[in-house]
Amino acid sequence: YAPYETQLHDLGFDSATTYGTFAWTYTSAPGSRLPYGVGAFEAIASWKTKRDRVNVPFFPCCTVGWDDSPRFGEASSIAIDRTPDQFERLMRAARHFIAEASHSKLIYINAWNEWTEDNVLLPDTYWGYSYLEALQRAVKS
């Protein structure tokens, strides 16, 4: 929405977020492999800028992971070295970010079951319930 970010309200939107958390997945060189922690750090840093630019309430989006290689093969972008603890830190940062908002407190989570993008909050055979437990810790504390 960048070209229209100051016009969102006039265009009929009542809020804004980003699809996915890691902007570098759209701008990095094909075949990029970047640490999840780097993507999370950059996302957190971008939230205030985005909130200040749009003229509607902005809500952060937290992602479990990112790997679009099933779709793009060698040209894919992949967030490597992801862990439930890193996701928990990202969720805690989002929680702190919305705490200072004057509008409703909402955090988007991307995604429950996006298996083709390694973006799965749903329990699985590798991580078990670890990501759900990390989410619970982040919102309860």
Side-chain angles (χ1 to χ4, degrees):
Y1 57 79
Y4 304 102
E5 60 195 5
T6 60
Q7 303 169 30
L8 293 177
H9 184 265
D10 296 337
L11 293 169
F13 293 94
D14 57 13
S15 66
T17 191
T18 55
Y19 171 73
T21 305
F22 307 140
W24 50 257
T25 62
Y26 303 108
T27 59
S28 59
S32 295
R33 308 294 184 262
L34 295 169
Y36 179 97
V38 171
F41 179 81
E42 291 174 356
I44 293 164
S46 74
W47 293 339
K48 184 178 185 318
T49 302
K50 290 175 182 176
R51 180 188 62 203
D52 292 346
R53 285 186 182 160
V54 299
N55 61 353
V56 293
F58 175 82
F59 300 105
C61 180
C62 298
T63 191
V64 176
W66 185 266
D67 178 350
D68 58 9
S69 62
R71 294 189 183 127
F72 300 110
E74 291 182 19
S76 63
S77 297
I78 300 174
I80 59 171
D81 303 327
R82 71 177 177 94
T83 66
D85 291 343
Q86 290 177 324
F87 174 68
E88 180 180 346
R89 287 186 203 105
L90 180 62
M91 286 298 303
R92 287 178 186 272
R95 192 167 158 223
H96 287 289
F97 177 81
I98 63 166
E100 60 188 47
S102 59
H103 51 76
S104 62
K105 313 293 189 225
L106 178 71
I107 300 169
Y108 285 96
I109 300 174
N110 179 32
W112 175 249
N113 63 349
E114 189 63 68
W115 295 102
T116 60
E117 293 176 353
D118 190 36
N119 194 2
V120 182
L121 188 59
L122 186 69
D124 63 20
T125 57
Y126 185 80
W127 293 105
Y129 286 84
S130 298
Y131 277 90
L132 287 175
E133 291 164 350
L135 175 61
Q136 183 179 35
R137 287 190 303 269
V139 298
K140 278 194 166 187
S141 62

